[in-house]
Amino acid sequence: MERKAIDLTTVLGVIFAFALITGAIVTGGSLGSFFNLPSVLIVILGTIAVTAVSFAGSELKATPSLINKAVFRTISDPVQIGTQMIELSELARKNGPLALEQRLPELQGNRFLSKAVGLIVDGIPGDDIDQVLTSEISADHSRNKRAISIIQRSAEVAPAMGLIGTLVGLVQMLANLEDPSTIGPAMAVALLTTFYGAVLGTMLLTPLAGKLDRNANEENLTKRIYAVGAASIARQENPRRLEMLLNTILPPEKRINYFE
Amino acid sequence: MERKAIDLTTVLGVIFAFALITGAIVTGGSLGSFFNLPSVLIVILGTIAVTAVSFAGSELKATPSLINKAVFRTISDPVQIGTQMIELSELARKNGPLALEQRLPELQGNRFLSKAVGLIVDGIPGDDIDQVLTSEISADHSRNKRAISIIQRSAEVAPAMGLIGTLVGLVQMLANLEDPSTIGPAMAVALLTTFYGAVLGTMLLTPLAGKLDRNANEENLTKRIYAVGAASIARQENPRRLEMLLNTILPPEKRINYFE
Amino acid sequence: MERKAIDLTTVLGVIFAFALITGAIVTGGSLGSFFNLPSVLIVILGTIAVTAVSFAGSELKATPSLINKAVFRTISDPVQIGTQMIELSELARKNGPLALEQRLPELQGNRFLSKAVGLIVDGIPGDDIDQVLTSEISADHSRNKRAISIIQRSAEVAPAMGLIGTLVGLVQMLANLEDPSTIGPAMAVALLTTFYGAVLGTMLLTPLAGKLDRNANEENLTKRIYAVGAASIARQENPRRLEMLLNTILPPEKRINYFE
Amino acid sequence: MERKAIDLTTVLGVIFAFALITGAIVTGGSLGSFFNLPSVLIVILGTIAVTAVSFAGSELKATPSLINKAVFRTISDPVQIGTQMIELSELARKNGPLALEQRLPELQGNRFLSKAVGLIVDGIPGDDIDQVLTSEISADHSRNKRAISIIQRSAEVAPAMGLIGTLVGLVQMLANLEDPSTIGPAMAVALLTTFYGAVLGTMLLTPLAGKLDRNANEENLTKRIYAVGAASIARQENPRRLEMLLNTILPPEKRINYFE
Amino acid sequence: MERKAIDLTTVLGVIFAFALITGAIVTGGSLGSFFNLPSVLIVILGTIAVTAVSFAGSELKATPSLINKAVFRTISDPVQIGTQMIELSELARKNGPLALEQRLPELQGNRFLSKAVGLIVDGIPGDDIDQVLTSEISADHSRNKRAISIIQRSAEVAPAMGLIGTLVGLVQMLANLEDPSTIGPAMAVALLTTFYGAVLGTMLLTPLAGKLDRNANEENLTKRIYAVGAASIARQENPRRLEMLLNTILPPEKRINYFE
C-alpha cells in the first residue's frame, strides 16, 4: 500500500526557482559573469567541510540517501494503510493469528509492517508488540530528526561561507585600488560568494530540510497506524474497535469507513 | 449563531498599508519606476516555488481556502453559542435527548455542532462524546496550525528571495560599469526585489499568518463550547451546571447570564 | 490598599530618552531636517495598519486602555494587601463570615476583592471560591498577555515599515541621479523612515510591552493574594495559618509579620 | 565557609578587553577622535532610560548591588559547605539539636544558614524546614533571575541606541553635504554611537549578565546543600546518610568523603 | 571496548575549510595583506577575555581538555559495549557477582565501567546501583553541557569582536581622509577583523561546539548502557533479559544479537 514516486513539489519547486534566477541572469547579461570557480568551491566545499566537523563520518554517509528520500518520496495513504490493517485484523479473527503467516511474503517490501506481522505470528502478546514497535518508532523518528539536522546545519553554514568569501574578495579589492576600472568587476566577483551562499541556503537546503521534516512526521504517523493495528490484532480485538482506534489518530478528512 | 463576514481589520489593514506606500511612491516620483517584471516574477513566483518544496501538493491546495478564511471570517460570539447550548440543554431536559433530532435540520450549516447533536441523538454516552469531539478538535487545530505554517514559511522566504534578486542585479551592474550614468537606475532596479520581498513579507504574509493563527485559536474555543455543551446534554446534567462549566472557559467579559 | 499613580519610570524614561535624541538633533543641526510628513505617515499609520491585520477590531479597541495602564499604574503593596486579608480573616473569625458584608461598600473600588468577599458572604465553600477565583485569575492573565502581544507585534512591525519607507526613498533617488547635489538630502530623507521606525520600536513600543508584561505579572501576584486569603477565610482557618500561607508566595523582603 | 573576593575573571576579562580596544585605537591614531560627548550621552543615558521604562523603580534600585555581586563574588566551596553541614549533623546527633544554638553566633554572617539552624533549634519538624527553605530558595532564585533580566534587557537596548545615534548623525551629515571635506569626520562621529553601543553591549553588559546568571545558579546549589542538610539534621538522620544525600546533588569532582 | 582516536571529520573538516580560504586568498593576491597583528589580537584575545567574564576560572581551565575531546574522540561502539555487559552478566550468573572482581584490573582504563562493576562486587542492591549511576550520568551530562556552553558563548563573541574592530578601523580611516589613496588599504585592514571574527565563529567555534554536543550525547548513551547492564547484573537477572533491555535503548541498526 506504499509506493515510491518522484516528489513533484520538491523537484518542480527547486527547478522552477532556479529557472527563475537563471532567466533573470540571462535577460540582464551573460550567465558567464555569474560563474566563478573559486567562489563555487568556497561555498559548496566549504559548507560541506564545516558541516562535517559537527557530525561523525557514519552520520554523514547517510546524507545522500536522505536527499534521495526528499526526491523519491514514499507515498503512503493513511486510509489505505488503515484499511489494510483492518483486513488483516478480520483475517486473523476468522482464521486465527497464524493465518497471517501466509501473507508475510507479499509484505516483504515493507520492513516495518512485515516485522509487526512477524511478531503477531510469533505469538508475542499485544502489549509487548505495542512496546517494541513504539520504541522502534521513537528511535527511528529521533534518528530521522538527527539526520535532518545535518541539512539544517548546512543551510546555516552556506550563507556564512558566502559572507566569508565576499570578505576575502573585498579585502583583496580594497588592498589594490590602483586601477579604478577594476573596482566594479572585482566587487561583482566578491558578491558572487554571497549570492551562491544565499541561493544554496534559501533555495535548496532550507526547503529540503523542511520537506524532510514533513516526511519524517508523515512516516511517523504511518508507522503508528501499523503499530496500533498490530497490537490490536495480537490482542484479538474486534476489527470494528480497531477502526475506531485508528480514526482517533487519523486527520478528519482521512477517516476510515470500512464497516459502513 | 455563526455567520460569515468580511474580516474588516484584515482587508482594511492591508489596503490602507498598501495605499500608504503607493502614496509615498506617487508623491516622490512615478509609479512606473517601481514596477519591474523580472523582479516581480523572482519574488512572487520564487517565493511560491521555494515554499512549495517544503510541503506536499495536497497541503498546498488548501492555501487559497486558507487565505479565504482570513478575508471572510466566521464571526462567532461565544455568548450566543453558549446560550444556544444551554437552550438545547433545557430542551433535552424537558423533552428528552431525542427531542433534539427535530433541531438537526436547522443546524446543517454548522458541521461541528450538527455532528455533536447527532451523537447525542444516537444515544452515545457523554464521556464518549467528550472524547470523540475533543480528539476531533485537537486534530482540526493541528491541521490548521500546519496549514498556517505554509504562510509563515512563505513570509520567511519572500525577503530572502528579494535579497537574491538584488544580488543578481548588483552583480550585473558591477560587472558592466562602463557608463557611470547607468549605475543609479541599475541599482534602483536591483533594490526593487528587496523592496518587493520586504513588502510581501512584512505587509502581507506575516500579518496574514498572525490573523489565521488568531482565528484558529478562536475556532478552537468555539468548538470547545460545543463539545462541553454536547457532553453535558448527553450526561443529562442540569442546564445551570452547564452554564457554570461554560463560564469557566469563557473570558470574564463574555460570561453567560442565562438564568439570572 | 491599591491606588492609581503615574508610573514614573515609564513616563520619565520615555521623556528622557526622547529628550536625549532631540538634544542630539538640535546640537548638530535643525529639528526641521528631521521631520518629513510622508515618512511619519508611513511608519506610524503603516505600523498601526499592518498590526491591525493580525488582530480583531474588538482586541484593538482595548489598546488605548492598555497604554493607559502602563502610564497610570495601580500601585499595590503585597504586604498591605496581605495584611488587609489577615484583618478580614480576624474579623470573620470573631464575628462570623457575614460580618464582612458591612465592609463591602468600602471595597467597591476593587472589583476583584469585592467579588471575592461577596462569594464569602454568599456562603460559597472555600474550595469553590478557590476554583472560581483561580480560573478568573488565569483567564485575566491570558487576556492581558494577548493584549500585550498587540504592542509586541507593533514593536516588530515599526522597524520593518521604516526599512520599507527607506527602500522607497532609495529607489526614487537612484532612479533620478541627474543632479548630484540632491543625492545627500534625498538620502537623508530616505533614512528618516528607518530612523522613525527604530525610535518607535526601540524607544517606545518594546519597553512599553516590557512594562505591561511586568505589570501583568504583578497584578497576577496581587490577585493570588486575594484568592488565597478569601479561600482561607471561607474555610474559617486560623488567621495565623493565612499569614504563613501568604508568606510562601510573597518575595522574602515582602514577608508579612502581622502577629509578631 | 563562604567569603567575598574580587571575581577575577569578571574584572580582568573586562579590563583586558577594554585595554585591547584602547591599544588598537592608540596605535592607529589618537584617543581623542574616539570621544564624543553627545554620542556617549545617547548610548549610556539612553540605554539606562529605555531600560528603566520596562521595570519599576524598586527593581532598578537593586541594579548597583547586582553589579557589585558580579565583581565581588561570594566564593563558596560546595565540599566545605557540605562538610560543615555534616559536622553540624554529628554535633546534633551527639548532643541533641539544641546544642546547635551555641553555634548560631558564628553563623551570623550567613543569613540563609543561620535561618536554617534557627529553624532546627526552634524544633520545627524536618519536612516543614524542607518546605520553608525550598520555597525561599525558589523565591530567591526567581528574584535573582528577574534582576538579571534588567542587565540582559540593557544589553539589547545598547546596540539599538547606538544605531539610532548613528542614524541621527547620518541624516545630519547627508542633509548638509556642501563641503565634501567634512563628510569623513562627520561620518566618523556618526559611527561612534554604533561603536559605543557595540562595546557596551558585547564587552560589558552581555558577559556581565552571563556571569550573574552563572553565580545565581551556583548560589542556588549552595542553598540547596544548606536546605538538605538542615532538613536531615532536624529529622535526626545518620550523618552518613546526609553525606550520601549531598553527594547525589554535588558534581562528581566535588564529592564529600568525610567518613573515609 | 573504548579507544581514543583522532576525530577525522573534526580535523579534516577544519583543515579543509581553512585550506579553501587560504587557496582563495593566495590565488587572488598575497597572504600578507590578510595578516594584521592588531586585528588578530582584538579578535582572538578579545574573544577569550569577553568569554572569560561570563565564567569562573575553574570552568575555563577545563576548555583545553574539552577541545582535546573534540580532536581525539573516544570511539565507542554501542554493540561492543552492550555485548561486553552481556558477557559480564553471564559470568556473574555462572560464578556469582563476586567473580567480576577478577575482571576489575582490565577495566581500569574505563572509569565509569570500573566504578559500576565495583558497586556490584561490593554487593550494593540493583536499584541503588541504578540510582547512583543515573545521578552520576545526569551530573556528568550537565557538566559537559555547561563546558560546551563556553565554546558556544565564544562562537557568539568572535563575530561581535570582529565588528567592534572594524568600527575602530572605520572611525580612524574616516577621521583622516586627507589622502584618498589610503582609503582602500585602510578599509581593507578595517574589514580584516570582521573577516577574522567570521572565520573564527563560523569555521571553528560553532562547528566545534556542535561536535562536542554530539559527543556528549553519545557518551550519555554509552554510560546508560553501562548503568542498565550493571543494575541488571546486580539484580541477577537473566542475561537474555538484559539483551532485550539494551535493545530498547539502542538505535535499530545497532541492535545486539548475542543469543541468536
Side-chain angles (χ1 to χ4, degrees):
Chain A
M1 298 303 166
E2 293 189 339
R3 60 197 173 75
K4 292 265 172 196
I6 283 194
D7 192 319
L8 282 182
T9 60
T10 301
V11 174
L12 295 186
V14 168
I15 289 177
F16 191 71
F18 275 88
L20 271 173
I21 299 299
T22 311
I25 291 173
V26 172
T27 55
S30 75
L31 256 181
S33 61
F34 277 80
F35 183 76
N36 180 266
L37 190 61
S39 303
V40 171
L41 293 178
I42 286 180
V43 174
I44 295 185
L45 296 186
T47 299
I48 292 173
V50 168
T51 303
V53 173
S54 299
F55 297 90
S58 58
E59 292 163 329
L60 295 169
K61 268 181 228 145
T63 315
S65 87
L66 196 69
I67 291 168
N68 193 44
K69 253 180 158 173
V71 176
F72 298 98
R73 187 157 81 89
T74 303
I75 309 282
S76 54
D77 179 357
V79 175
Q80 284 189 5
I81 292 172
T83 306
Q84 185 183 18
M85 292 316 289
I86 293 172
E87 284 169 2
L88 291 176
S89 174
E90 287 203 302
L91 180 66
R93 204 165 163 83
K94 263 189 233 145
N95 308 336
L98 287 176
L100 298 178
E101 196 157 19
Q102 72 211 47
R103 299 290 288 278
L104 270 176
E106 70 194 68
L107 306 174
Q108 280 317 320
N110 189 327
R111 190 184 65 82
F112 194 83
L113 177 54
S114 64
K115 175 170 182 181
V117 171
L119 289 170
I120 302 172
V121 170
D122 288 354
I124 311 290
D127 287 351
D128 287 11
I129 289 182
D130 192 33
Q131 204 191 326
V132 166
L133 294 182
T134 300
S135 118
E136 183 147 345
I137 290 172
S138 142
D140 283 3
H141 195 57
S142 65
R143 196 175 38 137
N144 272 338
K145 290 271 174 191
R146 177 134 195 85
I148 294 166
S149 76
I150 298 181
I151 307 288
Q152 285 168 333
R153 182 81 193 92
S154 66
E156 289 163 20
V157 171
M161 288 309 294
L163 180 75
I164 288 175
T166 295
L167 285 170
V168 170
L170 281 181
V171 171
Q172 288 175 336
M173 183 200 79
L174 290 165
N176 305 288
L177 274 185
E178 295 97 37
D179 182 1
S181 74
T182 63
I183 296 179
M187 212 156 149
V189 170
L191 273 183
L192 276 183
T193 47
T194 294
F195 173 68
Y196 293 159
V199 165
L200 200 61
T202 301
M203 285 168 54
L204 197 64
L205 296 171
T206 304
L208 217 60
K211 169 59 77 59
L212 287 167
D213 197 49
R214 187 213 158 278
N215 287 357
N217 289 331
E218 195 182 70
E219 191 186 313
N220 207 32
L221 174 62
T222 305
K223 285 184 180 162
R224 272 174 62 210
I225 298 174
Y226 288 136
V228 166
S232 171
I233 294 171
R235 284 192 203 102
Q236 310 201 14
E237 291 177 352
N238 190 321
R240 282 175 187 273
R241 183 169 157 75
L242 173 56
E243 188 192 71
M244 204 203 71
L245 275 174
L246 291 178
N247 278 338
T248 64
I249 60 173
L250 289 172
E253 77 279 16
K254 295 273 183 189
R255 294 283 155 81
I256 303 167
N257 285 308
Y258 187 81
F259 293 106
E260 280 161 36
Chain B
M1 298 302 165
E2 292 189 339
R3 59 198 173 76
K4 292 264 172 197
I6 283 194
D7 192 318
L8 282 182
T9 59
T10 301
V11 174
L12 294 186
V14 168
I15 289 177
F16 192 69
F18 275 87
L20 271 173
I21 299 299
T22 312
I25 290 173
V26 172
T27 56
S30 75
L31 256 180
S33 61
F34 277 81
F35 182 78
N36 179 265
L37 190 62
S39 302
V40 170
L41 293 178
I42 286 180
V43 174
I44 295 186
L45 297 187
T47 299
I48 293 172
V50 168
T51 304
V53 173
S54 299
F55 296 91
S58 57
E59 291 164 330
L60 295 170
K61 268 180 229 147
T63 314
S65 87
L66 196 68
I67 291 168
N68 192 43
K69 253 179 157 174
V71 176
F72 298 98
R73 187 157 81 90
T74 303
I75 309 282
S76 54
D77 180 355
V79 175
Q80 284 189 4
I81 291 171
T83 306
Q84 186 183 17
M85 293 316 288
I86 293 172
E87 284 169 2
L88 291 177
S89 174
E90 286 204 302
L91 180 66
R93 207 167 162 82
K94 264 189 231 145
N95 308 336
L98 287 175
L100 297 178
E101 197 158 18
Q102 72 211 48
R103 299 291 287 277
L104 271 176
E106 70 195 69
L107 305 173
Q108 281 317 321
N110 190 329
R111 190 184 65 81
F112 193 84
L113 177 54
S114 64
K115 174 170 184 182
V117 171
L119 290 170
I120 302 172
V121 170
D122 289 354
I124 311 289
D127 286 353
D128 288 10
I129 289 182
D130 192 33
Q131 203 190 326
V132 166
L133 294 182
T134 301
S135 118
E136 183 148 345
I137 290 172
S138 141
D140 282 4
H141 195 57
S142 65
R143 197 175 39 138
N144 273 336
K145 290 270 174 192
R146 177 131 196 85
I148 294 166
S149 75
I150 298 180
I151 308 288
Q152 285 168 333
R153 182 81 193 93
S154 67
E156 290 163 20
V157 171
M161 288 310 294
L163 179 75
I164 288 176
T166 295
L167 285 170
V168 170
L170 281 181
V171 170
Q172 288 176 335
M173 181 199 81
L174 290 165
N176 306 288
L177 275 186
E178 294 96 39
D179 182 1
S181 73
T182 63
I183 296 179
M187 212 156 149
V189 170
L191 273 182
L192 276 182
T193 47
T194 294
F195 172 69
Y196 294 158
V199 165
L200 198 62
T202 301
M203 285 168 53
L204 197 66
L205 296 171
T206 304
L208 217 60
K211 170 59 77 58
L212 287 168
D213 197 49
R214 187 214 158 277
N215 287 357
N217 290 331
E218 195 182 70
E219 192 186 313
N220 208 30
L221 175 62
T222 304
K223 285 184 180 162
R224 272 175 61 211
I225 297 174
Y226 288 136
V228 166
S232 171
I233 294 172
R235 284 193 203 101
Q236 311 201 14
E237 291 177 352
N238 191 321
R240 282 175 187 274
R241 184 168 158 73
L242 173 57
E243 187 193 71
M244 203 203 72
L245 274 174
L246 291 177
N247 279 338
T248 63
I249 59 172
L250 289 172
E253 77 280 15
K254 295 270 183 191
R255 293 283 155 81
I256 304 168
N257 286 307
Y258 187 81
F259 294 105
E260 280 160 38
Chain C
M1 299 302 163
E2 292 190 339
R3 58 197 173 76
K4 292 264 172 197
I6 283 195
D7 192 320
L8 282 182
T9 60
T10 300
V11 174
L12 294 186
V14 168
I15 289 176
F16 192 69
F18 275 88
L20 271 173
I21 299 299
T22 311
I25 290 172
V26 172
T27 55
S30 74
L31 256 180
S33 61
F34 277 81
F35 183 78
N36 180 265
L37 190 62
S39 302
V40 171
L41 294 178
I42 286 180
V43 173
I44 295 186
L45 297 186
T47 299
I48 292 173
V50 169
T51 304
V53 173
S54 299
F55 297 91
S58 59
E59 292 164 329
L60 295 169
K61 268 180 229 146
T63 316
S65 87
L66 195 69
I67 291 168
N68 192 43
K69 253 181 159 174
V71 176
F72 298 98
R73 187 156 79 90
T74 303
I75 308 281
S76 56
D77 180 356
V79 176
Q80 284 189 5
I81 291 171
T83 306
Q84 186 183 17
M85 292 316 289
I86 293 171
E87 284 170 2
L88 292 177
S89 175
E90 286 203 301
L91 180 65
R93 205 167 163 83
K94 264 189 232 145
N95 308 338
L98 288 175
L100 297 179
E101 197 158 17
Q102 72 212 48
R103 298 291 288 276
L104 270 176
E106 69 195 70
L107 305 174
Q108 280 317 320
N110 189 329
R111 191 184 64 83
F112 193 83
L113 178 54
S114 64
K115 173 170 184 182
V117 171
L119 290 170
I120 302 172
V121 170
D122 289 354
I124 312 290
D127 287 352
D128 288 9
I129 289 182
D130 192 33
Q131 205 190 325
V132 166
L133 295 181
T134 300
S135 118
E136 183 148 345
I137 290 172
S138 142
D140 282 4
H141 195 57
S142 65
R143 197 177 38 138
N144 273 336
K145 290 270 175 193
R146 177 133 195 86
I148 294 166
S149 75
I150 299 180
I151 308 289
Q152 285 168 334
R153 182 81 193 92
S154 66
E156 290 162 19
V157 171
M161 289 310 293
L163 180 74
I164 288 175
T166 295
L167 286 169
V168 170
L170 281 180
V171 171
Q172 288 176 335
M173 182 200 79
L174 290 165
N176 305 290
L177 275 185
E178 294 97 38
D179 182 2
S181 73
T182 62
I183 296 180
M187 211 156 151
V189 170
L191 273 182
L192 277 181
T193 46
T194 295
F195 172 68
Y196 294 158
V199 165
L200 199 62
T202 302
M203 285 168 53
L204 197 65
L205 297 171
T206 304
L208 217 61
K211 169 60 76 61
L212 287 167
D213 196 49
R214 187 213 157 277
N215 287 356
N217 290 331
E218 195 182 70
E219 192 186 313
N220 207 32
L221 175 62
T222 305
K223 285 185 180 161
R224 272 174 61 211
I225 297 174
Y226 288 136
V228 166
S232 171
I233 294 173
R235 285 192 204 101
Q236 310 201 15
E237 291 177 351
N238 191 320
R240 283 176 187 273
R241 185 169 156 72
L242 173 57
E243 188 192 70
M244 205 202 71
L245 274 174
L246 291 177
N247 278 338
T248 64
I249 59 172
L250 289 173
E253 76 280 14
K254 294 272 184 190
R255 293 282 155 81
I256 303 168
N257 286 308
Y258 186 81
F259 293 105
E260 281 162 35
Chain D
M1 299 303 164
E2 292 190 338
R3 60 197 172 75
K4 291 264 172 197
I6 283 194
D7 192 319
L8 282 182
T9 60
T10 301
V11 174
L12 294 187
V14 168
I15 289 176
F16 192 70
F18 275 87
L20 271 173
I21 299 299
T22 312
I25 291 172
V26 171
T27 55
S30 76
L31 256 179
S33 61
F34 277 80
F35 182 79
N36 180 266
L37 191 62
S39 303
V40 171
L41 293 178
I42 286 180
V43 174
I44 295 186
L45 296 186
T47 299
I48 293 173
V50 169
T51 304
V53 173
S54 299
F55 297 90
S58 58
E59 291 164 329
L60 295 169
K61 269 180 228 146
T63 316
S65 86
L66 195 69
I67 292 168
N68 193 42
K69 252 181 159 174
V71 176
F72 298 98
R73 186 156 81 89
T74 304
I75 308 281
S76 55
D77 180 356
V79 175
Q80 284 189 4
I81 291 172
T83 307
Q84 187 183 17
M85 293 317 288
I86 293 172
E87 283 170 3
L88 292 176
S89 174
E90 286 203 302
L91 181 64
R93 205 166 163 82
K94 265 191 232 143
N95 308 336
L98 287 176
L100 297 179
E101 195 158 19
Q102 73 211 47
R103 299 291 287 277
L104 270 176
E106 70 194 68
L107 306 174
Q108 281 317 321
N110 189 328
R111 191 184 65 83
F112 193 84
L113 178 54
S114 64
K115 173 168 186 185
V117 171
L119 289 170
I120 302 172
V121 170
D122 289 354
I124 312 290
D127 287 352
D128 288 8
I129 290 183
D130 192 32
Q131 205 191 325
V132 167
L133 295 182
T134 300
S135 117
E136 184 149 345
I137 290 172
S138 141
D140 282 4
H141 196 56
S142 65
R143 197 177 36 140
N144 272 337
K145 290 270 174 192
R146 176 132 196 87
I148 294 167
S149 75
I150 299 179
I151 308 288
Q152 285 168 333
R153 183 81 193 92
S154 66
E156 290 163 20
V157 171
M161 289 310 294
L163 180 74
I164 287 175
T166 295
L167 285 169
V168 170
L170 282 180
V171 171
Q172 288 176 335
M173 182 199 79
L174 291 165
N176 306 289
L177 275 185
E178 296 94 38
D179 182 1
S181 74
T182 62
I183 297 179
M187 211 156 151
V189 169
L191 274 182
L192 276 182
T193 46
T194 294
F195 173 69
Y196 293 158
V199 165
L200 199 61
T202 302
M203 285 168 53
L204 198 64
L205 297 171
T206 304
L208 217 60
K211 170 60 76 59
L212 287 167
D213 196 49
R214 187 213 158 277
N215 288 357
N217 289 330
E218 196 183 70
E219 192 186 313
N220 207 31
L221 175 62
T222 305
K223 285 184 180 161
R224 271 175 61 210
I225 298 174
Y226 288 136
V228 166
S232 171
I233 294 172
R235 283 192 204 103
Q236 310 202 15
E237 291 177 350
N238 190 322
R240 282 175 187 274
R241 185 169 156 72
L242 173 57
E243 188 192 71
M244 204 202 70
L245 274 174
L246 291 177
N247 278 338
T248 64
I249 60 173
L250 288 172
E253 76 281 15
K254 295 272 183 189
R255 293 283 154 80
I256 304 169
N257 286 307
Y258 187 81
F259 293 106
E260 280 162 36
Chain E
M1 299 302 164
E2 292 189 339
R3 60 198 174 75
K4 292 263 170 196
I6 283 193
D7 192 319
L8 282 182
T9 60
T10 301
V11 174
L12 294 186
V14 169
I15 289 178
F16 192 70
F18 275 87
L20 272 172
I21 299 299
T22 312
I25 291 172
V26 172
T27 54
S30 76
L31 256 180
S33 61
F34 277 81
F35 183 78
N36 180 267
L37 191 61
S39 302
V40 171
L41 293 178
I42 286 180
V43 174
I44 295 186
L45 295 186
T47 299
I48 293 173
V50 169
T51 303
V53 173
S54 299
F55 297 91
S58 57
E59 291 163 331
L60 295 169
K61 269 181 228 145
T63 315
S65 87
L66 196 69
I67 292 169
N68 193 42
K69 251 180 158 174
V71 176
F72 298 98
R73 187 156 80 90
T74 303
I75 309 282
S76 55
D77 180 357
V79 176
Q80 283 189 6
I81 291 172
T83 307
Q84 187 183 15
M85 293 316 289
I86 293 172
E87 283 169 3
L88 291 177
S89 174
E90 286 203 302
L91 181 65
R93 204 166 163 84
K94 264 190 232 144
N95 308 336
L98 287 176
L100 297 179
E101 195 159 18
Q102 73 210 46
R103 299 290 288 277
L104 270 177
E106 70 193 69
L107 306 173
Q108 281 316 321
N110 189 328
R111 190 184 66 82
F112 193 84
L113 177 54
S114 64
K115 174 169 185 183
V117 171
L119 289 170
I120 301 172
V121 171
D122 288 355
I124 312 291
D127 286 352
D128 288 10
I129 289 183
D130 192 32
Q131 204 191 327
V132 166
L133 294 182
T134 300
S135 118
E136 183 148 346
I137 290 172
S138 142
D140 282 5
H141 196 57
S142 66
R143 197 176 37 139
N144 272 338
K145 289 271 175 191
R146 176 134 195 85
I148 294 166
S149 75
I150 299 180
I151 307 288
Q152 285 168 333
R153 182 82 193 92
S154 66
E156 289 163 20
V157 171
M161 288 309 295
L163 179 75
I164 288 175
T166 294
L167 285 169
V168 170
L170 281 180
V171 171
Q172 288 176 335
M173 184 199 79
L174 290 165
N176 305 287
L177 274 185
E178 295 96 38
D179 182 1
S181 74
T182 62
I183 296 179
M187 211 157 151
V189 170
L191 273 183
L192 276 182
T193 47
T194 294
F195 173 68
Y196 293 158
V199 165
L200 200 61
T202 302
M203 284 168 54
L204 199 64
L205 296 171
T206 304
L208 217 60
K211 171 58 79 52
L212 287 167
D213 197 49
R214 187 214 157 278
N215 287 357
N217 289 331
E218 195 182 71
E219 193 187 312
N220 207 32
L221 174 62
T222 305
K223 285 185 179 161
R224 272 175 62 210
I225 298 175
Y226 287 136
V228 166
S232 171
I233 294 172
R235 284 191 203 104
Q236 310 202 15
E237 291 176 352
N238 191 320
R240 282 175 187 274
R241 184 169 156 74
L242 172 56
E243 188 192 71
M244 203 202 72
L245 274 174
L246 291 178
N247 279 338
T248 64
I249 59 172
L250 288 172
E253 76 280 15
K254 294 273 182 189
R255 294 282 155 81
I256 303 168
N257 285 308
Y258 187 80
F259 294 106
E260 282 162 34

